[in-house]
Amino acid sequence: MTEILLINPNTTQSITDLVLRTAKTFASKGTTLRAVSGAFGPRYIASRVGYAIAGHAAVDAFANDEGRKDAVVLACFGDPGLAALKEISPVPVVGMADSSILQACALGGRFSIVTGGARWQSMLEEFVAGMGLASRLASVRTVAPTGADIARNPKAAMALLAKGCQACVKEDRADVVILGGAGLAGLAAKLANKVDVPLLDGVACAISMAECLAAQNPAKSRAGRLAKAPPVDSIGLSKALARLIG
């Protein structure tokens, strides 16, 4: 039995519930899923300051979770706090953006990302560059509604999303398109027949990679940049997080 914890670092429970429902449709038989939300921070992450706060919320949620887990999924496209979680977690941690980008590169030469919220364009371009894959990125296209807006009323955004995905193919020459965003979880399957290349769901990619890594049970790094850091004193953190880094 594989147990996977999903961490949604924003504070909207309905988004967490959406991601969990979607993840269950992709999980293998024998995989158990749990999901937690951030205890503080923005309702939905749509800016750099929100992203920074969400990284803290993600590691805090991990520190305060006492359940068994064989892998962790960071359920926010853009993966705030991903490297920090990998540093402190004894089990594999995967992000929706990181895993879907790597799988897109396995499927084709160049990929595009379509998501909600204008500020995510530059933020995701920087994220991809940080992975060393800027040359593989065909484009990042955003639609006007935020991911939170789309989650509340997905039908209203379907035409916009389909148009954006097809523009990635026709105009940007993407071989693969990623539909990014926790609020867009599950929509790729509904749009796939409207897009002329593979359309990836960030939740599906994260779950498949988490299951694969959990099955391999890799050892925690004892050296290098993702080894556990030396203890440090802190002020103002939750008791669980203070214990984890102290």
Side-chain angles (χ1 to χ4, degrees):
M1 181 74 71
T2 299
E3 299 202 16
I4 297 176
L5 172 68
L6 289 83
I7 298 176
N8 172 23
N10 72 49
T11 54
T12 299
Q13 186 61 38
S14 61
I15 298 289
T16 305
D17 295 340
L18 171 64
V19 170
L20 182 58
R21 287 196 307 271
T22 304
K24 287 179 177 178
T25 68
F26 294 115
S28 302
K29 185 178 180 180
T31 295
T32 300
L33 303 174
R34 295 185 295 110
V36 296
S37 302
F40 53 84
R43 290 296 184 186
Y44 195 80
I45 301 157
S47 66
R48 295 174 191 278
V49 66
Y51 186 91
I53 295 167
H56 178 188
V59 295
D60 182 76
F62 176 87
N64 280 278
D65 182 77
E66 298 179 350
R68 181 198 151 199
K69 40 198 169 283
D70 302 301
V72 176
V73 167
L74 181 54
C76 171
F77 203 86
D79 302 348
L82 180 61
L85 284 168
K86 289 183 176 182
E87 183 182 72
I88 63 175
S89 174
V91 300
V93 181
V94 304
M96 285 173 56
D98 189 68
S99 58
S100 57
I101 288 167
L102 293 175
Q103 291 181 42
C105 287
L107 283 171
R110 282 159 52 84
F111 66 92
S112 288
I113 301 169
V114 174
T115 191
R119 294 205 179 195
W120 274 111
Q121 182 174 10
S122 59
M123 291 166 67
L124 288 172
E125 288 171 347
E126 293 163 13
F127 182 89
V128 174
M131 293 179 69
L133 293 170
S135 64
R136 305 285 294 273
L137 179 65
S139 61
V140 177
R141 287 182 176 257
T142 62
V143 297
T146 67
D149 296 331
I150 294 170
R152 283 191 293 268
N153 189 5
K155 289 184 179 180
M158 295 296 275
L160 279 174
L161 291 170
K163 182 179 179 181
C165 291
Q166 273 296 81
C168 293
V169 179
K170 301 297 185 182
E171 300 175 25
D172 307 329
R173 297 186 176 183
D175 302 312
V176 185
V177 178
I178 300 166
L179 199 60
L184 283 65
L187 296 186
K190 298 177 181 179
L191 291 168
N193 64 355
K194 300 180 185 298
V195 184
D196 294 332
V197 300
L199 183 61
L200 299 184
D201 184 300
V203 174
C205 293
I207 291 298
S208 64
M209 185 171 285
E211 288 181 328
C212 176
L213 292 175
Q216 295 181 60
N217 191 27
K220 169 67 178 172
S221 296
R222 294 189 298 274
R225 68 187 189 96
L226 294 179
K228 187 171 175 58
V232 61
D233 292 335
S234 61
I235 296 174
L237 302 180
S238 68
K239 290 181 179 180
L241 183 54
R243 284 196 301 270
L244 184 61
I245 69 171

